[in-house]
Amino acid sequence: MFRIIRKKKLNASVTLMEFDAPFIAAKVKAGQFVIFRVDEQGERVPLTVADSDPERGTITLIFQVVGQSTMKLNALEEGDSITDLAGPLGMPTKLPEQAKKICIIGGGVGCAIAYPQAKSCFLQGMETDVIAGFRSKEIVILEEEFRKNCHELIICTDDGSYGKKGFVTDALKERIEQGNQYDAVIAIGPVPMMKFVCEVTKPYAIPTIVSLNPIMVDGTGMCGCCRVTVGGKIRYACVEGPDFDGHQVDFNELMHRNGTFHQREAECRLLAQADQL
Amino acid sequence: MPNLSERKIPVPEQNPDERKKNFSEVTLGYTPEMAQKEAERCLNCKTMPCMSGCPVNVKIPEFIQKIKEQDYEKAYAIIHQSSSLPAVCGRVCPQEKQCESQCVRGKKGDSVSIGRLERFVADWHMENCHFPVKKPEFNGHRVAIVGGGPAGLTCAGDLAKRGYAVTIFEAFHVAGGVLMYGIPEFRLPKEIVQKEIDHLKLLGVEIMTNMVIGKVFSIDELMEQGFEAVFVGSGAGLPRFMGIEGESLVGVCSANEYLTRINLMKSYQEGYDTPVLSSESVAVCGGGNVAMDAARSAVRMGAKKVYIIYRRSENEMPARKEEVRHAQEEGVQFLTLQNPVKILGDENDRVRALVCQKMELGEPDISGRRKPVPIPDSCYELPVDTVIMAIGTSPNPLLRKTTEGLETNQKGCLIVDESMMTTKQGVYAGGDAVTGAATVIMAMGAGKSAAQSIDEYIQQKRTKQEE
């Protein structure tokens, strides 16, 4: 059993939870994920680790409540436990050697995973810029945390209610055109966002790392559910990823495959809403 | 009185029309009377040819003799000397290729139904014997087992009986490996697997779940923690796909994924959260036991049409005959001598058909089986909404990538010597991680020999230290 040490609501649909998981905390690196299972009937769900504290023996997960499992997880409180937490899984993020200047882009809840990347680059002494995009002001998360772990933080909102108005891709293009020479860009967020970031960086030949979120079952290289096409080849996100060279990824295929169980997910949400009424 | 009937005693089974709708066990097992009668068919050959066909050398004529004497507990004790998981082996071993293939009775008529007798004894024991298990005295040595599948469980059991403190590091949330995630409930009830695992716990075996070795601890770290030897039984790994067009469409999955969702995650049961594809018509590509398991699971999940697509003929199918028969009885259609060449999708990128090409048998290939050759212009579209690939696996790269000194062959399988030791001192391995995809009993055999070697290795080390 893995105990919830801290729970904090970051916005209306995003929650932070810190878990007692000393073995994972001692090993996890930026870019790696865990598989959690809330209870005996639960599914195995992958989530990239948002933060860790090896001394306290804890890891932090930040999740958006979207379906059955995240609803169940969100219903738990500090002091409660979940049955399973396995990890760290996947490969840590690998930046180009001697990278000095990095731009990290987070979209929505993807900022939860962009954050450890920023922290890791910043602590390694790289010049770290962060572009964080949200729909509107109410859902901005982790602003303080980012500010402490980067040189330049640009917050964008789609509706202009906070920070710059516009998409992260506009801000990125502007930064590049202003003469910022990035050795690499890391993009983490909704699949369309990662796809468009890659389209921006490609003409400039800036190496772009994306963190993919395909559906998984076991997460240890056994079931093949998480296969993605990268450079025309089948790759397994759970053991070879979840980071890949964004310029090689078939994003359209990933979007389709991630929709495999959309109908069932929608039914779960409806049922949950009905329960609340 | 010996039973001279050429035919073995048939075993009661659930009726196909009934069992298609449930996940309960298909084969119901012998009653004591049936077991008696079948046991009487054994001639108790002095040369014991059956034993030579058993990868773990169960003393077959001896345990059958005890069935004749109605001393079922003694029969169990005899099997248990050699096999740590009798209830499992009695159900899933390919006996017709092993012990039963050597049986003298098989020369004229049916061989003795050794598998069914083994199952009878194991089930009788589980039902009737509730002796407290005595935990062996600790011999002062610790061994780590990576992976709680058939190889690891067997190795753990054998070492625990010799007094070792054994810890199994299991990656999933439950131990059992393929017995839990792969083989379906209707062929191997999970309660039986769990009972065998609980028995190991009573012997003192510790099981740590959610521990992905190579990630959370390296093998070197396990050694630093005081484990004097490590056994790696991490099993088979990544599923193979065919490399044909359309394999990334929604509705294509590996048999491992399909079976894991159903067996391990119990998506067939009300109240469990894991979803599984709901299918009307399913094509399963492959002709092994895993293909049969996937096809028969699809029938039970409510698919109206289920096809097995296999490029050779039924004679060459690697699946057990009984599995093939069961699948046919349950309405699975066998499209043999056909090869999938392309998967077609609809406007939403969901599977709508599998294009198959007809084949004929040509000259024998290296495997000795006649090689299938495509018939020109014979492609056609088979309308399906789900395609399940059951064409094997390649070894998991996780451990070899994270362990220095652990060498693998070209296929990625761990290299071991005759004592089952890998290229790393004190690290042993067995099962699918070494052989590539094979059977439960082969993995158990490997776990057993490794336990013997680990015992010798540690005892020798101790003797040297004492000198």
Side-chain angles (χ1 to χ4, degrees):
Chain A
M1 300 293 273
F2 297 83
R3 204 156 55 90
I4 301 164
I5 305 288
R6 183 163 68 102
K7 179 184 178 184
K8 191 178 162 195
K9 197 169 174 177
L10 298 186
N11 70 30
S13 69
V14 176
T15 303
L16 173 152
M17 274 184 186
E18 190 176 349
F19 290 89
D20 188 18
F23 296 145
I24 304 174
K27 280 292 173 73
V28 66
K29 293 202 171 70
Q32 290 188 297
F33 68 94
V34 291
I35 291 265
F36 77 82
R37 210 170 64 115
V38 176
D39 56 31
E40 285 303 329
Q41 279 75 41
E43 40 180 350
R44 293 172 66 92
V45 185
L47 265 187
T48 302
V49 177
D51 206 353
S52 61
D53 186 337
E55 270 151 43
R56 276 163 41 100
T58 64
I59 62 162
T60 301
L61 301 179
I62 296 176
F63 57 93
Q64 186 156 27
V65 182
V66 285
Q68 175 85 355
S69 296
T70 41
M71 282 191 274
K72 268 187 174 178
L73 183 58
N74 199 40
L76 299 179
E77 300 299 336
E78 283 175 11
D80 291 343
S81 294
I82 58 171
T83 52
D84 303 285
L85 204 51
L89 299 168
M91 305 301 287
T93 300
K94 207 172 162 214
L95 289 166
E97 268 174 48
Q98 327 226 301
K100 290 197 185 72
K101 191 171 162 97
I102 301 283
C103 184
I104 291 159
I105 302 172
V109 73
C111 288
I113 309 159
Y115 167 65
Q117 300 286 2
K119 189 173 157 188
S120 156
C121 292
F122 190 72
L123 289 177
Q124 286 175 61
M126 294 176 209
E127 197 180 334
T128 309
D129 291 352
V130 172
I131 304 173
F134 302 92
R135 261 196 335 273
S136 62
K137 189 181 175 184
E138 310 83 71
I139 60 164
V140 172
I141 58 169
L142 300 171
E143 184 176 355
E144 274 317 296
E145 287 81 352
F146 274 123
R147 233 174 255 294
K148 283 186 219 148
N149 287 286
C150 71
H151 294 91
E152 186 96 31
L153 172 67
I154 301 153
I155 293 184
C156 312
T157 48
D158 299 359
D159 62 1
S161 54
Y162 193 64
K164 268 172 94 80
K165 182 176 181 346
F167 298 122
V168 290
T169 40
D170 303 328
L172 172 64
K173 206 159 182 191
E174 200 181 305
R175 298 284 300 165
I176 297 170
E177 279 167 1
Q178 281 167 356
N180 288 291
Q181 291 192 349
Y182 293 116
D183 298 312
V185 167
I186 303 177
I188 302 162
V191 181
M193 184 213 90
M194 294 192 281
K195 179 183 166 180
F196 290 123
V197 166
C198 292
E199 282 173 14
V200 170
T201 56
K202 199 158 187 191
Y204 301 98
I206 304 171
T208 304
I209 298 164
V210 291
S211 176
L212 303 184
N213 58 342
I215 302 174
M216 291 186 185
V217 186
D218 72 294
T220 64
M222 192 276 288
C223 81
C225 179
C226 68
R227 64 191 189 279
V228 287
T229 303
V230 182
K233 284 201 186 100
I234 288 187
R235 303 286 298 274
Y236 298 92
C238 72
V239 285
E240 300 177 283
D243 288 359
F244 289 102
D245 171 359
H247 294 146
Q248 306 280 326
V249 170
D250 185 337
F251 289 106
N252 293 342
E253 178 191 293
L254 177 62
M255 272 183 262
H256 280 295
R257 288 186 54 77
N258 277 357
T260 304
F261 298 109
H262 266 177
Q263 203 184 336
R264 154 114 182 200
E265 285 157 16
E267 284 164 13
C268 284
R269 277 195 295 273
L270 275 177
L271 281 174
Q273 280 167 6
D275 270 356
Q276 281 174 355
L277 288 174
Chain B
M1 259 302 281
N3 176 350
L4 295 175
S5 162
E6 283 181 15
R7 297 284 151 242
K8 56 183 161 198
I9 304 289
V11 69
E13 287 174 352
Q14 265 200 83
N15 167 317
D17 285 333
E18 236 357 88
R19 72 187 194 229
K20 271 160 70 172
K21 295 176 226 145
N22 66 51
F23 271 84
S24 309
E25 197 170 16
V26 167
T27 309
L28 303 172
Y30 281 154
T31 61
E33 296 71 34
M34 292 170 178
Q36 288 275 323
K37 271 193 193 156
E38 184 60 23
E40 291 293 349
R41 294 186 64 236
C42 174
L43 303 176
N44 212 347
C45 310
K46 286 243 152 47
T47 52
M48 298 187 277
C50 47
M51 255 187 86
S52 68
C54 175
V56 295
N57 295 106
V58 170
K59 290 174 185 144
I60 294 165
E62 284 186 29
F63 94 75
I64 293 181
Q65 182 58 39
K66 291 296 158 193
I67 299 179
K68 291 181 196 169
E69 294 167 15
Q70 297 185 36
D71 187 353
Y72 306 132
E73 193 44 34
K74 192 77 218 296
Y76 180 81
I78 292 167
I79 301 175
H80 204 250
Q81 282 168 9
S82 317
S83 165
S84 0
L85 312 167
V88 173
C89 292
R91 287 172 166 83
V92 304
C93 268
Q95 291 102 4
E96 71 275 14
K97 288 180 187 154
Q98 297 174 353
C99 51
E100 293 180 16
S101 74
Q102 307 294 320
C103 176
V104 171
R105 295 297 306 261
K107 286 182 181 159
K108 200 172 170 229
D110 294 341
S111 53
V112 174
S113 195
I114 301 167
R116 291 172 187 171
L117 290 174
E118 180 182 26
R119 174 186 160 170
F120 164 77
V121 168
D123 288 358
W124 189 90
H125 171 84
M126 269 191 189
E127 196 138 308
N128 296 290
C129 297
H130 307 283
F131 308 127
V133 178
K134 214 176 134 212
K135 196 172 145 182
E137 201 179 318
F138 179 41
N139 70 2
H141 302 280
R142 295 169 68 210
V143 178
I145 309 270
V146 179
L153 292 174
T154 305
C155 190
D158 278 23
L159 288 169
K161 284 180 206 160
R162 291 174 159 105
Y164 288 88
V166 182
T167 306
I168 296 179
F169 294 91
E170 165 59 46
F172 290 172
H173 52 269
V174 286
V178 73
L179 309 175
M180 282 294 190
Y181 75 72
I183 303 175
E185 177 78 18
F186 55 83
R187 207 148 75 76
L188 178 64
K190 302 307 144 215
E191 196 193 339
I192 284 175
V193 181
Q194 195 53 52
K195 277 189 184 161
E196 300 275 26
I197 293 169
D198 291 344
H199 180 82
L200 290 183
K201 285 187 190 161
L202 293 176
L203 284 172
V205 173
E206 188 189 5
I207 299 178
M208 292 185 73
T209 53
N210 294 314
M211 298 298 267
V212 183
I213 300 304
K215 290 290 182 188
V216 69
F217 297 136
S218 66
I219 286 183
D220 288 312
E221 282 168 325
L222 292 178
M223 301 285 221
E224 283 159 22
Q225 288 170 17
F227 293 104
E228 290 173 64
V230 177
F231 174 76
V232 178
S234 52
L238 295 164
R240 289 211 185 96
F241 287 87
M242 296 186 72
I244 59 175
E245 202 182 311
E247 282 184 310
S248 294
L249 292 167
V250 175
V252 183
C253 68
S254 72
N256 266 6
E257 179 188 340
Y258 191 69
L259 292 170
T260 300
R261 286 179 181 278
I262 294 172
N263 300 325
L264 181 71
M265 306 312 296
K266 307 204 181 300
S267 54
Y268 70 95
Q269 277 182 26
E270 195 67 32
Y272 283 79
D273 298 341
T274 304
V276 65
L277 291 167
S278 63
S279 319
E280 286 284 308
S281 46
V282 180
V284 180
C285 305
N289 289 322
V290 175
M292 300 306 137
D293 285 345
R296 297 175 66 198
S297 297
V299 169
R300 285 161 175 77
M301 294 303 292
K304 304 229 162 43
K305 288 202 164 105
V306 180
Y307 307 98
I308 288 277
I309 319 287
Y310 182 58
R311 62 198 185 111
R312 302 177 197 252
S313 75
E314 202 179 304
N315 283 334
E316 285 86 19
M317 272 198 179
R320 291 180 62 196
K321 288 221 158 52
E322 188 179 66
E323 305 307 326
V324 173
R325 174 174 66 81
H326 279 155
Q328 285 167 339
E329 287 170 359
E330 289 163 12
V332 174
Q333 294 181 49
F334 282 62
L335 305 179
T336 53
L337 286 167
Q338 309 205 16
N339 198 31
V341 289
K342 193 178 182 181
I343 306 164
L344 305 176
D346 64 12
E347 64 285 359
N348 297 317
D349 274 351
R350 289 183 179 255
V351 172
R352 71 169 177 84
L354 178 68
V355 179
C356 298
Q357 180 165 35
K358 296 198 173 153
M359 314 288 277
E360 58 191 356
L361 290 180
E363 296 299 308
D365 62 11
I366 0 170
S367 73
R369 298 179 298 181
R370 290 178 65 193
K371 195 182 161 158
V373 188
I375 301 172
D377 304 321
S378 64
C379 289
Y380 72 102
E381 282 182 22
L382 179 72
V384 290
D385 56 22
T386 303
V387 176
I388 299 172
M389 292 294 176
I391 53 167
T393 56
S394 54
N396 194 313
L398 230 150
L399 273 173
R400 80 182 122 98
K401 273 191 181 165
T402 53
T403 313
E404 217 169 297
L406 201 60
E407 284 174 34
T408 54
N409 65 16
Q410 282 172 332
K411 288 181 179 165
C413 300
L414 296 174
I415 296 171
V416 294
D417 63 15
E418 59 282 1
S419 75
M420 315 293 291
M421 182 141 84
T422 62
T423 49
K424 196 173 170 73
Q425 175 86 10
V427 180
Y428 293 75
D432 283 6
V434 168
T435 56
T439 59
V440 168
I441 188 71
M442 293 297 284
M444 288 178 53
K448 199 174 173 62
S449 345
Q452 173 78 29
S453 300
I454 289 171
D455 184 31
E456 284 163 16
Y457 168 78
I458 291 177
Q459 295 312 326
Q460 267 171 22
K461 222 171 67 171
R462 185 165 73 176
T463 323
K464 267 188 207 152
Q465 277 165 1
E466 282 167 0
E467 273 165 10

